[in-house]
Amino acid sequence: MSRFRRLRYRRRPNRPGRYLRGSAVIASLLILTLSFPGFWLKLEDSGWLSRVLSTQPASAQRTNTIEIAERVYGLMPNLPLENHYESRATGDVAVSNTLASRLIRYHLYVKGRSPLYRFDWKLTLADYLGANEWIEASLYPGADDLEENPQAGDVAAIGNLNRAQRDQLVGILVDLHGGNSGTSPYDR
């Protein structure tokens, strides 16, 4: 066997302490860093620690459904209002309780779907069209507030929309909830 081959296959001696020393140094540096109070104060000042440790309200909890519904009707005036139902509390017509506001409340609060994605809004419209999930009459928005449950009228109103109108409605809802970046074609 040549000298080159002997050197090539030569085994290095096993040194177990070499790796232990390196990991002990890293562990001790990590412990010192985490135990230093300034480290935590700096994280708290940056807001990172509070974002990780605190519970943030979901985006659905910050949504004003009446305001967004008004903007939907401003951008899509041909959408039926369906606001002829009487309030249980006052007996007057609940003018601000519209199809769009109930649609948004059903989507966000009853089904718990994200307002940022077109697919989630399409699932909600599929619920109204009877193609996805059944709409529970007792959980439908307005069932407790209004004299008559508006579910049947809302399902009929959504059913009367054509595909282009439903796509426009989905696009408007996503844009108004901040799902798309950039300018909306419906803001013109």
Side-chain angles (χ1 to χ4, degrees):
M1 200 183 248
S2 71
R3 180 176 164 185
F4 175 71
R5 279 189 147 179
R6 275 187 272 145
L7 290 176
R8 194 167 117 191
Y9 293 110
R10 189 174 182 193
R11 292 185 59 141
R12 293 186 177 166
N14 191 4
R15 298 182 196 161
R18 184 171 82 185
Y19 296 110
L20 289 177
R21 283 191 299 258
S23 59
V25 169
I26 291 173
S28 62
L29 286 174
L30 184 63
I31 290 171
L32 284 172
T33 304
L34 294 177
S35 63
F36 181 63
F39 174 78
W40 294 106
L41 291 174
K42 185 175 252 185
L43 280 180
E44 191 171 340
D45 289 342
S46 70
W48 179 84
L49 187 64
S50 62
R51 284 192 306 269
V52 170
L53 297 179
S54 69
T55 57
Q56 294 289 326
S59 61
Q61 293 172 344
R62 293 189 298 249
T63 300
N64 184 351
T65 57
I66 295 173
E67 180 183 313
I68 293 201
E70 289 173 358
R71 292 182 67 194
V72 167
Y73 286 113
L75 296 170
M76 192 174 175
N78 59 343
L79 184 68
L81 284 171
E82 286 293 316
N83 63 345
H84 56 273
Y85 299 100
E86 293 179 1
S87 172
R88 265 194 197 157
T90 63
D92 297 333
V93 175
V95 179
S96 63
N97 197 335
T98 61
L99 167 65
S101 68
R102 290 188 298 270
L103 173 74
I104 294 167
R105 284 186 289 160
Y106 173 78
H107 179 85
L108 297 176
Y109 304 124
V110 175
K111 299 312 283 183
R113 295 180 178 140
S114 172
L116 304 176
Y117 303 108
R118 294 179 60 84
F119 182 72
D120 287 334
W121 285 106
K122 287 188 177 208
L123 285 176
T124 297
L125 289 181
D127 291 350
Y128 278 82
L129 297 173
N132 186 32
E133 296 180 5
W134 291 103
I135 298 175
E136 180 92 26
S138 62
L139 298 177
Y140 191 75
D144 295 335
D145 305 340
L146 303 173
E147 289 289 335
E148 180 186 348
N149 191 343
Q151 177 189 355
D154 292 352
V155 167
I158 295 292
N160 288 335
L161 297 177
N162 61 33
R163 176 177 268 188
Q165 291 170 323
R166 289 193 307 264
D167 283 342
Q168 181 185 10
L169 177 61
V170 166
I172 289 170
L173 289 168
V174 169
D175 289 345
L176 290 178
H177 283 93
N180 291 346
S181 60
T183 60
S184 168
Y186 305 108
D187 288 340
R188 294 181 210 153

